């Protein structure tokens, strides 16, 4: 499978740049157009009459009224991302969790049943199993990568199914088309968290998903200086419900964060190409080391999982990888120190520089130790977000750091 990697064929990125090159031209006449998007910091807009205000608030005219409802920077970003995801509409939110909340609160009622993937970002699991449980929303956990469990879903009832394109942190890849079919047979809607892929690697709406959400502050922004979330959908009515929920619950994005995310979007294709190449090379090297127990990376998967990856992904396998070593907390701290200062411990992902994280103490800290062990998330599980460094340097940096640590002594 590794020999099939063709970074030059990243999900036709020339088209993506053409979409991204459609700058914010509204409001300008003649030949003078700003090369960079402007930031609109207004919180409210002047309107001529009460009738004009009413029309604008009903979305009957293309006007802005109040930042919580909509603002120019969010609209520009949402319009471009809707095109890139082949969506009917997109809504930008304050952050990734806001996007998930917007879908849940707009589509679920008390007594609803939600099937959630057994391996999700920790806060996503907490939202459905704890927070929404107080609203009488019932959660059922299943493995979307297990065909028998997907078939069981199809034979039962679901209002919403939540999975990730690439699971966090073991980087498993469910068959989205199969899960979508099972979800619809169960009478539900499928929401896919596409953060670890972005639209350049996978477009879940084209595989049957009803909603795609992303944490745009990760790879799309790419510089750890902005937070935003995204909801894309194919049903105009349901997307209007999402938009209304964002407005009512105050989940709206900020103009500055949208501006910074838009700036990152412009260079996403070339950044992602390097990051994916770095992740593949690093995963291949780590898989050969004796003191590394196992490496999780979609580009290393064997059939039948590799067949799913080939069908769903375009060009690359992602910039995230996870590896496992026999180290306790003190040993991990020594390893992390050996990688510094160039490669830092950061409880997030998607930066221009390579970073490392520790799921047990960060993203999955709220999950019980027994479940973590069942999922294969141990103390020595290390998640890597690959950046833009020279590939050979990055591979050698990890090799030398691991060589300096005796992984046989936890």
């Amino acid at each position: 499978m590794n020999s099939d990697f063709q970074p030059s064929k990243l999900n036709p990125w020339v088209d993506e740049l053409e979409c991204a090159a459609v700058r914010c031209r509204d409001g300008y006449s003649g030949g003078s157009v700003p090369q960079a998007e402007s930031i609109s910091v207004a919180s409210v807009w002047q309107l001529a009459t009460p009738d004009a205000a009413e029309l604008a608030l009903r979305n009957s005219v293309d006007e802005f009224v109040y930042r919580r409802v909509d603002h120019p920077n969010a609209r520009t970003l949402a319009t471009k991302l809707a095109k890139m995801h082949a969506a009917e509409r997109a809504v930008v939110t304050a952050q990734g969790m806001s996007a998930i909340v917007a879908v849940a609160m707009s589509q679920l009622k008390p007594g609803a049943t939600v099937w959630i993937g057994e391996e999700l970002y920790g806060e996503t699991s907490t939202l459905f199993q704890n927070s929404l449980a107080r609203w009488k929303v019932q959660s059922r956990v299943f493995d979307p990568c297990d065909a028998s469990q997907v078939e069981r879903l199809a034979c039962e009832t679901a209002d919403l199914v939540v999975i990730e394109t690439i699971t966090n942190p073991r980087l498993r890849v469910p068959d989205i088309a199969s899960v979508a079919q099972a979800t619809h047979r169960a009478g539900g809607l499928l929401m896919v968290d596409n953060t670890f892929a972005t639209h350049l690697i996978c477009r879940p709406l084209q595989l049957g998903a009803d909603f795609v959400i992303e944490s745009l502050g990760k790879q799309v922004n790419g510089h750890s200086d902005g937070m935003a979330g995204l909801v894309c959908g194919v049903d105009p009515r349901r997307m209007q419900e999402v938009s209304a929920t964002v407005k009512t619950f105050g989940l709206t994005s900020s103009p500055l964060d949208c501006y910074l995310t838009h700036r990152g979007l412009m260079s996403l294709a070339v950044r992602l190409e390097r990051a994916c190449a770095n992740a593949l090379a690093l995963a291949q090297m780590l898989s050969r080391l004796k003191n590394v127990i196992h490496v999780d990376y979609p580009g290393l998967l064997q059939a039948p999982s590799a067949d799913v990856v080939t069908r769903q992904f375009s060009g690359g396998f992602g910039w995230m990888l996870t590896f496992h070593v026999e180290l306790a907390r003190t040993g991990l701290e020594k390893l992390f120190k050996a990688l510094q200062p160039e490669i830092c411990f950061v409880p997030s992902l998607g930066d221009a520089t390579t970073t490392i994280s520790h799921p047990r103490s960060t993203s999955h800290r709220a999950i019980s130790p027994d479940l973590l062990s069942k999922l294969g998330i141990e103390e020595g599980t290390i998640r890597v977000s690959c950046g833009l460094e020279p590939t050979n340097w990055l591979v050698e940096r990890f090799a030398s750091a691991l060589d300096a640590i005796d992984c046989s002594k936890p």
Side-chain angles (χ1 to χ4, degrees), residues 155-344:
C155 298
E156 301 199 30
T157 300
D159 294 288
L160 182 68
V161 175
V162 183
I163 64 172
E164 294 173 336
T165 303
I166 306 173
T167 65
N168 184 359
R170 295 298 309 274
L171 306 177
R172 301 164 72 220
V173 181
D175 186 331
I176 295 175
S178 294
V179 177
Q181 292 171 7
T183 299
H184 297 151
R185 284 171 57 191
L189 301 168
L190 176 61
M191 176 170 67
V192 179
D193 185 337
N194 198 50
T195 300
F196 276 22
T198 80
H199 61 278
L200 283 170
I201 291 177
C202 185
R203 292 174 177 168
L205 293 179
Q206 296 181 325
L207 298 171
D210 300 284
F211 295 103
V212 169
I213 70 98
E214 288 185 7
S215 177
L216 297 176
K218 306 301 191 292
Q219 188 65 253
V220 176
N221 171 280
H223 295 81
S224 293
D225 57 7
M227 295 185 73
L230 176 72
V231 183
C232 289
V234 293
D235 185 317
R237 178 182 62 83
R238 294 191 183 280
M239 285 305 299
Q240 179 56 39
E241 293 169 348
V242 169
S243 179
T245 300
V246 170
K247 177 186 69 174
T248 301
F249 281 74
L251 306 176
T252 314
S253 58
S254 81
L256 177 60
D257 288 82
C258 286
Y259 168 85
L260 293 170
T261 302
H262 179 268
R263 177 211 57 189
L265 179 64
M266 305 299 281
S267 63
L268 174 61
V270 290
R271 287 188 292 102
L272 191 59
E273 187 173 329
R274 167 61 73 86
C276 287
N278 279 350
L280 177 61
L282 183 59
Q284 290 172 332
M285 183 278 291
L286 291 171
S287 66
R288 294 192 292 267
L289 294 184
K290 293 182 179 179
N291 54 1
V292 173
I293 301 170
H294 183 69
V295 179
D296 300 318
Y297 184 64
L300 300 181
L301 292 174
Q302 303 300 315
S305 298
D307 299 332
V308 175
V309 172
T310 301
R311 289 199 310 272
Q312 292 185 171
F313 291 1
S314 295
F317 309 117
W319 73 96
M320 300 295 299
L321 65 94
T322 297
F323 68 98
H324 308 260
V325 291
E326 290 277 2
L327 288 175
R329 187 66 60 90
T330 54
L332 288 174
E333 291 175 354
K334 292 178 181 178
L335 175 58
F336 294 163
K337 187 175 181 180
L339 288 166
Q340 294 173 356
E342 297 90 353
I343 300 171
C344 298

Side-chain angles (χ1 to χ4, degrees), residues 73-91:
N73 293 99
R75 185 178 296 183
T76 299
L77 183 60
T79 299
K80 292 180 181 179
L81 287 169
K83 293 179 182 177
M84 294 175 180
H85 278 278
E88 176 67 28
R89 183 179 176 184
V91 175

